[in-house]
Amino acid sequence: MSKNNTNVIAIVTMIFMFAMISFVTNMAAPFGNIWKNSYEWSGMLGNMMNFLAYLFMGIPAGKLLSKIGYKKTALIALGVGFVGMVIQYLSSRFGASVDTFTVSGQAVKLNFVIYLLGAFICGFCVCMLNTVVNPMLNILGGGGNRGNQLIQTGGTFNSLTGTLTPLLVGALIGQVTDKTAMSDVAPLLFIAMGVFALAFVIIFFVHFDEPNLGKAQSQGKDKYSAWSFRHLVLGVIAIFFYVGIEVGIPAELNFYLTDDPLCGAAIGGAIAAVYWLLMMVGRLVSTAISGKVSTKAQLTFVSALAIVFILIAIFVSEEVRISMPGYSVAEGFAMFQVPISALFLVLCGLCTSLMWGGIFNLSVEGLGKYTEQASGIFMMMVVGGGVMPFIQNVIAKGTSYMASYWLVIAMLAYILFYALVGCKNVNKDIPVE
C-alpha cells in the first residue's frame, strides 16, 4: 500500500475516533438532568467525574503513546470505554434501594455511585483517544496551518456527534419528572457500546505508520522536556480554560432552559444541540480557510467575538424571548419561545469551534520529538472541562445563571491573550530532532 493511501486510512480513522470522543463526553451534562431531580447538587457531578479522569490519565496516556504507539493506545481506550458504558447502564438496573453515604442530610443511593464510576471510567477512555487523535492529525498534516486544518476536520465530526447526543438524551428524557431515571436513556447506552465494539474491530485491522514511536526515549536522558517550551506551558493553561468554556456554555444553558417554565429538559437539550451544530459549522469554515488564514488570526478573532456574544447575553433582559427550533415528546420538532440570551450563548458555538484545534496547533508547533509528551500534558489539563463548569454551576446557584457567565468571559480573555502574545515560540534553541 502506498504512503498516500496509508495516510488517508490513518486520517479517516483518527477522524472517526474524534467523533466518538464527543459522543461519549456530551452524555454527561444532559444525564445530569436525570440525577439532579434526585440530588439537587449533582447536576454537573457526572460531567466533573468524566473530566477528572483526564487529570489522572493525561500524562500516563502520553507515556503510553510514546511507548506502545497510537494504534495500541487507541485499542486500549476503546476497551475501557466499552466497560465504562456497561457500568453506566448497570446504574439503571441496580442499587436504587441501597444507601451508601449521606450528603446534606440526604442518603445517596448505590445506583448514583455506580453511575459516577462509569462516568469516571469513560473519562479514561476519551482522555486516551484525545491523546491519540490530536497529535496524529497534526503530524499527518505536517503541522502549521495544514495540521490545524486536519484537526478542524476531525473537530467537525466531533461537533456532529456532539449535536446529536444532547438531542437524543433530551428526546429520550422528555420532561423531567420524579419518575425519570437512567433506564430511560438505556437505548443510547447500548448504541454507545455497539459503537465502541465496532470501532475496536475497525482499528484492529487498520494499519498506519507510527510517527516518533520511541524516539524520545531512545536518545537517553534529556535535559529538556515539553515543559521547557513557554508557549506550551501557556497553551496548557489555555486548554484548561477552553474546555471549561466549551462545556460550561451549553451545559449551564441546558440547566437554565430546563428550569424555565416555558421550556423543560427536552427544549434545553435541543437548544444545546444547536450550540454543537454551530460548532460543526465553525469547524467546517475553519477547515476551508485554514490553508490561507493563520491559526493565530483565527484564534484571536473568535476569542474576541465570543466575549462580545456573552456580554450581550448577560446584559439583555431575560424577559425578551425569541423563537428557536426545539423538540418535545408531545409536539416533535417545532419553534419554541426561549430567552434571547440563549441565542447569543448558542452563537458562541461558532467561536469555540476553532479554539481546541487552534490552541493545540499553536502549542505543539516546533516541539518535534516532544509532541507526544506534550499531548499527554494537554489531556491532563482537559480536567478543566469538569472543574470550571462545576465552579460555574456553583456561581449560578449562588447568584444567577447569567451571572455565572462572567467566569466564562474571564477565561476567554486569557485565550485572547494567548492568541495575541503567549503562542510565540521563544525556545527555538532547544533541539527537537
Side-chain angles (χ1 to χ4, degrees):
M1 185 178 294
S2 70
K3 184 176 181 179
N4 284 341
N5 287 338
T6 301
N7 283 348
V8 169
I9 293 172
I11 290 170
V12 171
T13 303
M14 293 301 115
I15 289 174
F16 179 73
M17 288 197 293
F18 222 142
M20 291 186 61
I21 290 167
S22 184
F23 181 68
V24 175
T25 302
N26 283 291
M27 289 181 181
F31 280 3
N33 280 321
I34 297 174
W35 293 107
K36 78 170 186 172
N37 194 47
S38 300
Y39 312 104
E40 186 178 348
W41 41 267
S42 70
M44 289 300 290
L45 196 54
N47 180 73
M48 189 176 77
M49 292 298 291
N50 190 279
F51 281 95
L52 185 62
Y54 281 84
L55 183 62
F56 295 96
M57 194 62 200
I59 290 178
K63 291 181 178 179
L64 197 65
L65 190 62
S66 296
K67 187 174 181 180
I68 67 173
Y70 288 78
K71 179 175 179 176
K72 290 181 180 178
T73 303
L75 289 173
I76 292 172
L78 294 170
V80 170
F82 184 88
V83 172
M85 285 298 164
V86 170
I87 292 175
Q88 289 190 67
Y89 169 72
L90 292 177
S91 72
S92 70
R93 306 291 296 175
F94 303 104
S97 60
V98 180
D99 294 342
T100 53
F101 53 87
T102 301
V103 176
S104 300
Q106 183 180 16
V108 177
K109 303 298 183 181
L110 179 61
N111 62 339
F112 182 57
V113 176
I114 294 172
Y115 162 71
L116 292 180
L117 176 62
F120 187 65
I121 291 174
C122 281
F124 282 122
C125 161
V126 290
C127 177
M128 285 188 280
L129 289 180
N130 257 316
T131 308
V132 170
V133 300
N134 287 281
M136 188 66 174
L137 285 173
N138 197 55
I139 289 169
L140 289 168
N145 290 346
R146 172 62 177 161
N148 182 46
Q149 192 172 38
L150 283 184
I151 293 175
Q152 297 297 359
T153 302
T156 301
F157 288 88
N158 180 274
S159 297
L160 176 60
T161 53
T163 301
L164 294 174
T165 303
L167 187 62
L168 288 172
V169 175
L172 289 169
I173 294 175
Q175 194 72 29
V176 176
T177 68
D178 292 338
K179 296 182 179 180
T180 304
M182 282 295 288
S183 57
D184 295 327
V185 295
L188 191 60
L189 294 173
F190 282 122
I191 291 171
M193 292 178 210
V195 170
F196 274 118
L198 176 63
F200 186 95
V201 173
I202 292 172
I203 293 172
F204 183 84
F205 288 104
V206 168
H207 171 77
F208 48 83
D209 295 330
E210 298 279 3
N212 299 329
L213 179 58
K215 192 173 179 180
Q217 289 82 0
S218 66
Q219 297 177 10
K221 275 197 169 183
D222 193 338
K223 65 177 181 177
Y224 297 109
S225 71
W227 289 110
S228 302
F229 296 83
R230 191 197 72 166
H231 70 294
L232 172 72
V233 175
L234 295 178
V236 164
I237 299 171
I239 216 72
F240 178 86
F241 286 152
Y242 161 68
V243 187
I245 293 166
E246 181 196 84
V247 175
I249 290 176
E252 211 59 46
L253 174 62
N254 197 343
F255 291 147
Y256 173 49
L257 296 179
T258 297
D259 288 345
D260 188 296
L262 299 181
C263 297
I267 308 306
I271 300 302
V274 176
Y275 169 90
W276 295 105
L277 178 63
L278 290 181
M279 282 192 70
M280 181 178 69
V281 172
R283 283 168 170 166
L284 279 170
V285 173
S286 181
T287 299
I289 68 174
S290 286
K292 298 179 180 179
V293 181
S294 73
T295 304
K296 180 176 179 177
Q298 291 183 50
L299 187 60
T300 300
F301 175 75
V302 297
S303 301
L305 184 60
I307 291 174
V308 172
F309 282 152
I310 294 182
L311 283 172
I312 296 173
I314 291 173
F315 286 109
V316 72
S317 173
E318 294 185 21
E319 295 180 2
V320 179
R321 290 184 172 259
I322 189 172
S323 293
M324 291 186 68
Y327 178 89
S328 73
V329 175
E331 300 180 52
F333 287 98
M335 300 298 291
F336 294 90
Q337 291 290 311
V338 299
I340 194 171
S341 55
L343 171 64
F344 290 100
L345 293 175
V346 163
L347 286 173
C348 288
L350 291 170
C351 304
T352 55
S353 62
L354 280 67
M355 291 180 184
W356 171 273
I359 295 170
F360 186 90
N361 178 256
L362 291 171
S363 297
V364 301
E365 191 68 23
L367 263 61
K369 65 182 180 181
Y370 301 107
T371 299
E372 284 74 23
Q373 182 191 10
S375 181
I377 295 170
F378 256 79
M379 294 313 112
M380 178 182 70
M381 299 311 291
V382 172
V383 69
V387 174
M388 301 313 293
F390 185 80
I391 295 173
Q392 185 183 352
N393 192 240
V394 171
I395 295 172
K397 289 181 182 298
T399 55
S400 68
Y401 285 111
M402 287 301 107
S404 73
Y405 282 94
W406 283 108
L407 177 63
V408 176
I409 288 179
M411 293 187 288
L412 284 168
Y414 178 84
I415 294 176
L416 180 58
F417 154 77
Y418 182 73
L420 291 170
V421 179
C423 66
K424 183 179 180 181
N425 183 0
V426 297
N427 303 107
K428 294 182 178 180
D429 57 319
I430 298 176
V432 296
E433 296 300 327

